[in-house]
Amino acid sequence: MSAATSGSAETGEGHEAHTPPPTPVPTLNIANFLTLSRLAMVPLFVIALFSGDGTDTMWRSVATALFAIASLTDQIDGWVARRYGLITDFGKIADPIADKALIGAALVGLSLLGELGWWVTALIAVREIGITLLRFWVIRHGVIPASRGGKAKTMTQVAAIVAYLLPLPPQVEPVRWVLMGAAVVLTVVTGIDYVLRALRLRAAGKRATSGP
């Protein structure tokens, strides 16, 4: 038997051996469902926040619980996506958008109730909207995933907002200021980091398309 015949016999009569392509990850999966559920909870949170003129202890507790649950899904959907290989481009884009919608609704609500300075809400909103637009600006070159700094920023924002949402005595006001101050600092620092990453990604994409 010749080498050619032997090779043909090993790989199948006249056919080359090949590995099957990887199964594509479906967009409709449990991780993305959790992300979408976070978006769906935003209007419910807003309704609870403004019920009872925004000062009713029971409704503030409900609003805080809804905000906390919605924020928790951010941790769960990320873990599920990584654990079971359900990471999709849709999830990479929808997840930060859901975070921004929830955080933005809480900040605007607190400012409308006169409990948080509008400058804080404006600064964070400009950063979040700007980063979202930045993601779409470079999306043809690639997706900018959430960084560790971005996750730390989100967690700090969540902790600060929960402190403001809870019907707590005035004595804890300094704690609220410290948490929100840390959130503002992380918001600015990570915003600069995202801009630099987007510029590098766009430059690399242009080099790849233009060729040598």
Side-chain angles (χ1 to χ4, degrees), residues 12-206:
E13 195 66 35
H15 296 283
E16 296 182 359
H18 65 279
T19 56
T23 304
V25 179
T27 299
L28 294 177
N29 58 57
I30 184 62
N32 289 341
F33 173 79
L34 288 170
T35 299
L36 293 175
S37 71
R38 184 158 67 258
L39 274 172
M41 278 190 273
V42 172
L44 298 178
F45 160 73
V46 172
I47 292 172
L49 179 60
F50 285 98
S51 295
D53 295 327
T55 57
D56 183 83
T57 300
M58 185 197 74
W59 279 112
R60 285 298 287 260
S61 299
V62 171
T64 305
L66 286 171
F67 181 84
I69 293 170
S71 299
L72 185 61
T73 64
D74 180 37
Q75 303 301 315
I76 297 175
D77 63 12
W79 180 85
V80 169
R82 292 187 298 271
R83 175 67 177 79
Y84 297 100
L86 299 177
I87 298 175
T88 63
D89 284 344
F90 172 82
K92 290 179 182 179
I93 295 173
D95 181 70
I97 289 177
D99 292 341
K100 290 168 177 51
L102 180 64
I103 296 292
L107 293 173
V108 170
L110 288 169
S111 293
L112 286 172
L113 291 173
E115 300 178 22
L116 181 66
W118 276 105
W119 72 269
V120 175
T121 296
L123 188 150
I124 294 178
V126 168
R127 185 271 190 197
E128 303 297 356
I129 294 172
I131 295 303
T132 300
L133 295 176
L134 198 63
R135 287 176 183 273
F136 285 108
W137 181 56
V138 299
I139 195 169
R140 54 179 241 160
H141 301 292
V143 176
I144 307 176
S147 64
R148 289 184 179 180
K151 287 296 183 180
K153 176 267 304 177
T154 300
M155 291 178 64
T156 307
Q157 288 178 349
V158 168
I161 290 171
V162 167
Y164 272 85
L165 288 173
L166 284 171
L168 299 174
Q171 289 79 3
V172 302
E173 197 68 22
V175 176
R176 291 171 171 166
W177 296 340
V178 170
L179 286 173
M180 191 58 74
V184 168
V185 170
L186 285 173
T187 296
V188 174
V189 171
T190 56
I192 295 172
D193 175 62
Y194 272 111
V195 171
L196 295 176
R197 291 169 64 193
L199 293 175
R200 286 196 294 267
L201 178 61
R202 184 175 174 82
K206 284 187 173 181

